[in-house]
Amino acid sequence: MTVPWLSIAIFTPLVGAVLTMLAGRRQIGRVVSLIASVVPLGIGAGVLARTPGIDDFVLKESIAWVSTDSLTITYTMALDGLSAPLFALTALLVAAAILFSWEETKRPLSFFALLLVLETSVLGVFAALDLFVFYVFWEFVLIPMFFLIAIWGGAHRRYAATKFFVYTFLASLVMLLGFMGMYFGLPDGVPATFNFLELQQYTAGFSVELQILLFVALLVGFAVKMPVVPVHTWLPWAHVEAPTAGSVLLAGVLLKMGAYGLIRFAIGAFPFAAVKLAPLLLVIGIVSILYAALVCLAQNDLKRMVAFSSISHMGVAMLGIATLNEIGFMGAIYMLIAHGLLSPLAFMMCGSIQHGWGTREIDKLGGIMQKTPTMGTFTMAAFIGSLGFPGFAGFIAEIAVLVGTYQAFGWIVIFPLLGVVLTAGYYIWAIQRALHGELTAEHADSAHEMPFYETAAVGVLTFFAIVYGVWPALLTEHINPFVEGLLSTVGVI
Amino acid sequence: MVMEYAWLIPALPLAAFVLVTLFGSRLPERGGYISAGAIVASGALAVYTAWESWGRLTESFRGEHGHWGEAFTWTFQDALGTAWLEAGNFVFDLGVYLDSITAWLLGAVGILTAGIALYSIGYIRPEKEGYHLDDGSPIHVDGRQRYYAALALFVGSMLGFVLGSNLLEMFVFWELMGLCSYLLIGFWYAKPSAAAAAKKAFLVTRVGDVFFLGGLVTLAVIFGDAVGSAVALDLSTLLDTATIEAVAAAHPTALGLSVLGLFLGAVGKSAQLPLHVWLPDAMEGPTTVSALIHAATMVKAGVFLVARFFPLFDAVPWVLYTVAVVGAVTAFVAATMAVVNYDIKRVLAFSTISQLGYMFMGLGVGAAVAGGFAAGLFHLLNHAFFKALLFLCAGAVGFALHNYDMRDFGGLKEYMPITAWTMLAATLAISGIPPFSGFFSKDELLAEAFLAGKEHALFYGVWALALVTAGLTAYYMFRLWFMTFLGDYRGDHEEELADGTWHMNLVLGVFAVFTLVTGFAVFFASDNLLFHHALEVTPAKLVTSWKTYLSLGVAGAGIALAWTRYGPDNVEDHLTPVGEETGAEGVMIDRYYVTEAYYKATDAIVLGLARLFDAFDTHVVDWSVDAIGRFNDWMGRVGSRWQTGRVSDYATWILSGLLAFVVIVVYILRYTIGRGI
């Protein structure tokens, strides 16, 4: 009998959540939850390390769940070169978030348990290949995140949590319509199924209008989740109001679900529509990059700045997708991982600054490097990495997307290049005002360094952000076969 | 053979960077010995490699082997079996590309970095120079670990850039150099002026870098089209004459713009007009950093970039003409800013900008006569040594006085003779007085520009600007030396004045010897390799040419003018007190208000747009989203008697409405699809 490694990885955190609630004391509960979160991390890392160049689905499990004449739902789970890195990233970020929140005092057991529930649902999203199962995991993600924001969030937590929930839920319903359309669109005589691998064989045969219609429906659902301008306004609220661990997972993995869905399902099922609508994706990507970068420049709250920068970075991913060529696509997927490491790092630093200095307002900070050099150094690493500097993973993504953009769209590459300057502008300016300079902060006397558990969490993320920036072959060996497979089956290359 | 191990040259300092970053606080001198040791070892290896390869490589300028003839190449793909970055048809690999241009710079960088690392051990003390805020209160932070980590990273990046075998690899190291420059300019980050200077350096050079990036991206695609092979941005492809011709025929505009992009990257890095504004402010960093990064090596990277890709530039003559004009104008304008300044380091910074302009001018002149190219590279080598020496001497003065304002100097020759005499050697060199090195290269630059005038009248203008600049250079450099070392001491704390530590003096002496000897290389190097028949310089030719006497005369006039105004007898009458500069002097002191104009433009345009977009986001985009929610809520109030008005209700309303919508759409879909529409 083969061991269902993937299911073990997905559901261990759920079991861990129950055990954490039963633990009774924070000192025990946090250890239990950390262990539970490390299990999927080990399995995810094992897949990446042991399979040189993942070029097909691995750890595949498939069980018929509902099977009638008119409806087939299968529990089909597997990982490939697209999902395996995201799977491992999710597990890494939850472990890091638990570590970062080691001394959480407000209802700590529920807090850790919700993080683990969230982990199970996100892991399920990345592994599920049956649309129905995918949708269940996808919507379930909202529940733990809603409570994380609504209970542990900042001053406007209720408003932010509701807005997050309603906005993304509505968008998901449009996505669900798209799924239904795929299901009902199957030609006669074909067994009706939600299994995407089977659906995919027929979707390309749909009429052109239907393909475009369904693609747009899926795009709406995924674009809100990514998010891109103009459907992004839930994000600054949710990110700013969420507790640090919540922001880490929002930016690190929840946004990736949108891009993942777009690549896996929308483009995987309707490549023709993707080709037709590539100009639309291009415009969305470029507007997101420039619009969000400009808004970043005007921010005074560090966390709000980092939140808007996520929109800008997701714009880069969208641009890479729009190129529909191998290098641009590779860059888009690389951006998901790079941003998934660097943005959580930046959010953690915002959290540390909040703890250590009592504020995140740039004009009330100043001299962080002087008083708390460790905090200052990691913040600098986070910001310089996020602005796409060589040596960090973000650079690899950016260069690939830029080359892909020139290859696909020629001189339009000027717009993302403009974004590169603006991005450097807001991060470097923030460093000057918040980290450098004299000790002008309001609470400079009581400011204190980050505790060891926070340092450990940000250290791990910094390490990986640099590893994937220095030696990209570690990731591209998995991503490239997937991209080649996707683009060749869809007939683009 | 040693070239196989050339990858160790950047790898050693990079390894030291990792060590010092992680464990520096526990190492002796906070990692200083590890860092300096690795730099000296890699410098020695660099010099040896340069020497070895010089003898083995055959070169010819625009010769039969394409442009540059043979090069030694080595890549990680060969060694490890995996390329660095692969996607689709693009395979970017790291490696080593060693030809005579590489060797030329490799040897110089090796010697300079080793010397300055040694000097640093004596110079960088905890709580020395600059360790105080503007109000004079000291900062008790030991920055040595940061300093030595960044120094090692810088040296590794510079050597990696010089040796790089791929344009993308070169760009990565180029950016890392910029990062080190940023970190070291902001070394005393607690000083607001240092923090502002660091930001300015990063952002201004970033503007240039983005043009570089655009050029790089374009080159990757258009060369990929032409070659069709899996190797992207590889130097042996980019420099291959036949390939360049094919690309120039297929994509003339794209090639021209991408080459212009590379040049604009160089403009940023080498602080040429109009991106020169960051370099004077970069003097906020420790003086060793000014000497190494902002005089001898990193700012030369731009010149090296143009020289390295000269075959590409050569295919687009209008870009090379631009290079020549930008270089000549920068040389002149920067020199006019240097003649009125009283900050010793800023004078040297303006002088660096001006001299870099000379080098670009030479490369641009290379469009018409090959000798211009050779003279530009030759001046690069000479300038690296004499400008590093000038900065190190200024550093020794600052080490003793804790001050860089020349109005407070005077008579220092009595107190610090080693510094005074070595600085005089460098001053003579930069002023172009034989037998010091600057004479040979500057003379050649002028002669080649004049010669190029026969090809295109534009170059006569370039030559005239360069000639005037030579006079200005001699004037401001001797103004500096007279004000500093002659006359009577004008400051206080006289008893503390002395030469620096032995590390520092040793390096000053060695570099002074270099300023005396490197110039003579022209007689030996002219008949082979880099200068193959491009520089036909013999002592007899030099002595008989009228141009030699013209440039000597101009320099002499500059020195004489400096003596009449700033010689020991007259200096007191010509010192303008702080803040009382007026008229033309004021305009030049304020650097023609270029910086202010940039700040105002950025503030008005970029930040204005940013505030506009931010307001739009809150008051239009997000407001509309909430408005939809409020509308639903209102509908709920009107249309239902069991409305409660609670926040959660508007969610309920939207959801139920949507659910109905879903059901309807599903039925419509089913109906339409069922009918095959």
Side-chain angles (χ1 to χ4, degrees), chain B residues 59-320:
Chain B
E59 284 294 337
S60 55
F61 188 85
R62 292 177 187 164
E64 48 202 288
H65 303 288
H67 276 275
W68 301 113
E70 291 167 32
F72 167 80
T73 55
W74 179 93
T75 66
F76 273 90
Q77 190 165 18
D78 299 340
L80 303 175
T82 333
W84 182 63
L85 175 61
E86 248 181 285
N89 295 323
F90 298 91
V91 180
F92 301 97
D93 202 10
L94 306 179
V96 165
Y97 185 92
L98 229 155
D99 66 359
S100 60
I101 300 187
T102 316
W104 183 249
L105 211 66
L106 194 61
V109 172
I111 296 167
L112 284 160
T113 51
I116 291 169
L118 183 63
Y119 182 101
S120 298
I121 296 284
Y123 180 84
I124 296 291
R125 309 304 327 151
E127 296 171 44
K128 265 287 179 191
E129 187 216 30
Y131 257 84
H132 53 81
L133 296 173
D134 290 342
D135 63 5
S137 57
I139 305 163
H140 295 285
V141 177
D142 187 347
R144 285 176 294 173
Q145 183 185 2
R146 272 188 302 130
Y147 177 84
Y148 287 114
L151 187 72
L153 179 60
F154 171 76
V155 173
S157 310
M158 179 75 203
L159 291 164
F161 170 73
V162 172
L163 281 166
S165 72
N166 185 298
L167 184 57
L168 182 61
E169 177 188 3
M170 292 174 77
F171 180 76
V172 167
F173 284 124
W174 169 281
E175 291 285 274
L176 288 175
M177 281 192 275
L179 177 65
C180 298
S181 162
Y182 168 72
L183 294 175
L184 288 168
I185 293 169
F187 184 64
W188 290 298
Y189 49 69
K191 260 172 92 174
S193 58
K199 174 196 69 176
K200 192 175 183 182
F202 193 105
L203 293 182
V204 173
T205 52
R206 189 78 178 166
V207 171
D209 293 351
V210 164
F211 285 106
F212 186 165
L213 193 57
L216 177 156
V217 163
T218 313
L219 286 174
V221 176
I222 60 180
F223 271 78
D225 280 355
V227 182
S229 78
V231 183
L233 294 177
D234 193 81
L235 286 198
S236 24
T237 315
L238 288 179
L239 299 179
D240 181 63
T241 318
T243 315
I244 293 174
E245 276 168 16
V247 171
H251 309 277
T253 320
L255 180 68
L257 290 177
S258 55
V259 170
L260 184 67
L262 294 191
F263 173 60
L264 291 176
V267 164
K269 203 63 138 189
S270 297
Q272 299 294 290
L273 254 52
L275 297 181
H276 62 290
V277 292
W278 66 273
L279 190 62
D281 290 9
M283 299 300 125
E284 291 284 344
T287 309
T288 42
V289 170
S290 311
L292 179 64
I293 301 183
H294 304 122
T297 52
M298 184 187 80
V299 290
K300 302 288 197 309
V303 181
F304 179 75
L305 185 74
V306 176
R308 160 59 81 217
F309 292 100
F310 195 76
L312 283 179
F313 281 81
D314 209 16
V316 198
W318 63 270
V319 176
L320 270 184

Side-chain angles (χ1 to χ4, degrees), chain A residues 87-337:
Chain A
F87 192 88
L89 174 73
T90 306
L92 176 73
L93 289 180
V94 174
I98 289 173
L99 197 56
F100 190 86
S101 316
W102 205 238
E103 297 284 346
E104 179 65 49
T105 49
K106 186 178 180 183
R107 300 168 74 177
L109 294 179
S110 315
F111 185 76
F112 292 127
L114 279 174
L115 287 177
L116 291 173
V117 173
L118 184 65
E119 179 172 16
T120 289
S121 11
V122 178
L123 292 178
V125 164
F126 289 135
L129 290 171
D130 184 284
L131 292 183
F132 192 89
V133 178
F134 171 81
Y135 183 74
V136 170
F137 278 117
W138 173 277
E139 293 294 36
F140 199 77
V141 166
L142 296 181
I143 295 165
M145 187 49 85
F146 175 82
F147 287 113
L148 281 170
I149 300 173
I151 299 175
W152 287 270
H156 305 285
R157 54 184 181 271
R158 291 272 171 76
Y159 173 77
T162 312
K163 188 165 195 162
F164 161 74
F165 191 94
V166 175
Y167 207 140
T168 59
F169 185 70
L170 287 182
S172 307
L173 290 180
V174 182
M175 173 190 86
L176 181 63
L177 284 182
F179 287 168
M180 300 237 173
M182 287 160 76
Y183 179 78
F184 290 117
L186 284 175
D188 294 336
V190 173
T193 177
F194 275 112
N195 185 328
F196 182 70
L197 299 179
E198 286 172 33
L199 274 174
Q200 203 178 7
Q201 293 166 14
Y202 304 103
T203 45
F206 287 8
S207 71
V208 173
E209 293 79 10
L210 185 61
Q211 285 201 41
I212 290 179
L213 184 71
L214 296 179
F215 183 88
V216 170
L218 297 187
L219 179 65
V220 169
F222 296 131
V224 169
K225 202 74 161 189
M226 264 177 95
V228 289
V229 177
V231 289
H232 63 281
T233 53
W234 63 269
L235 180 138
W237 284 105
H239 279 59
V240 172
E241 297 303 320
T244 301
S247 309
V248 162
L249 295 175
L250 267 170
V253 291
L254 263 69
L255 307 190
K256 308 307 174 294
M257 288 164 43
Y260 168 81
L262 186 62
I263 295 170
R264 168 80 76 207
F265 299 113
I267 294 176
F270 307 111
F272 181 76
V275 176
K276 282 277 178 197
L277 294 177
L280 174 69
L281 302 183
L282 169 74
V283 171
I284 293 175
I286 284 176
V287 168
S288 299
I289 293 173
L290 295 178
Y291 179 100
L294 278 170
V295 175
C296 280
L297 267 172
Q299 299 311 313
N300 191 37
D301 181 345
L302 280 176
K303 201 171 181 184
R304 205 170 149 82
M305 183 188 84
V306 173
F308 270 103
S309 86
S310 286
I311 303 170
S312 191
H313 286 117
M314 286 300 105
V316 176
M318 184 60 107
L319 178 62
I321 293 171
T323 64
L324 290 174
N325 57 36
E326 283 171 276
I327 191 161
F329 232 88
M330 194 286 284
I333 298 173
Y334 213 100
M335 178 54 95
L336 303 185
I337 305 299

